[in-house]
Amino acid sequence: MKVTIFVVTICAIVRASEATWCVCQPNLNDTALQKTIDYACGHGADCAPILQNGACYNPNNVKAHCSYAANSYYQRKGEDSTSCDFGGTAEITSTNPSTNGCTYPASPSEAGSGSTNGTSSQPSGSVYGLGPSAQPENTNLGFQTKTHAALWIVFIFFVLIAS
C-alpha cells in the first residue's frame, strides 16, 4: 500500500512539473521583441488575446505581448524546443507566466489547433522575417526534459522496490 501511495504521489509531481512555457527575454529592445511577435502571430500563434480588448492585452507593452505570442506559437508547435528560440529572443521556462485574467496555454491541447479560419489575429505594424531557430537547444542527448525526469522517477521507484 505504501508503494502505491508513493507511486501516485510521484506521478502527480512529475505531471505538475511537466508544464513548460516559452517567454521572451525581458532585457531585449522592443524592436527585437516586436519581430518575434510578428513572426509568431503570422505563423500560427493565437494572438487574439493580445489584441485590444483581449484577455492578455494588458499590460499593453511589447514585452508582455511577445511572451504570449511566443508561447502560443511554441504550444501549437507541440512544445518543440526549436520553436522557442526566435533568433535568441525567447527561452523555455517551467515558471508559469500567466497573470491576473491572462492565462498562457501550458500544453499543445490548451493552445488549440493553430487555425485562424482564414482571419488574421496579428497585431498591426507587422514585419516578417524572424523565425524559430533551426538548431535544437536541447543538449540532453536526444531526451526531452520530461522524458529525462520520468526516467529518474522510474529508477527511484525500482530502487525503493528492491530495498
Side-chain angles (χ1 to χ4, degrees):
M1 181 65 173
K2 290 179 184 179
V3 172
T4 304
I5 292 171
F6 175 76
V7 170
V8 169
T9 303
I10 294 300
C11 288
I13 291 169
V14 169
R15 177 165 287 163
S17 67
E18 286 182 357
T20 58
W21 294 266
C22 179
V23 295
C24 292
Q25 302 283 347
N27 59 334
L28 297 176
N29 66 51
D30 286 355
T31 302
L33 299 179
Q34 184 64 52
K35 287 181 182 179
T36 298
I37 295 170
D38 296 338
Y39 183 87
C41 293
H43 289 87
D46 176 13
C47 293
I50 61 174
L51 295 175
Q52 191 169 7
N53 298 322
C56 299
Y57 179 72
N58 287 314
N60 180 18
N61 62 59
V62 174
K63 289 172 181 37
H65 291 183
C66 181
S67 288
Y68 190 89
N71 183 65
S72 177
Y73 181 86
Y74 166 72
Q75 297 299 342
R76 287 184 169 199
K77 297 298 180 184
E79 295 182 327
D80 178 4
S81 63
T82 62
S83 66
C84 179
D85 182 53
F86 300 98
T89 62
E91 66 183 352
I92 296 171
T93 183
S94 59
T95 302
N96 187 345
S98 297
T99 58
N100 294 340
C102 177
T103 303
Y104 283 56
S107 69
S109 61
E110 290 177 24
S113 67
S115 171
T116 58
N117 297 323
T119 62
S120 175
S121 59
Q122 184 175 341
S124 61
S126 300
V127 178
Y128 293 107
L130 182 70
S133 169
Q135 300 299 318
E137 295 175 4
N138 191 344
T139 58
N140 293 331
L141 301 175
F143 289 104
Q144 294 289 333
T145 305
K146 296 175 196 176
T147 305
H148 206 174
L151 290 174
W152 273 108
I153 298 302
V154 170
F155 172 75
I156 292 169
F157 176 73
F158 282 113
V159 168
L160 289 173
I161 289 177
S163 58

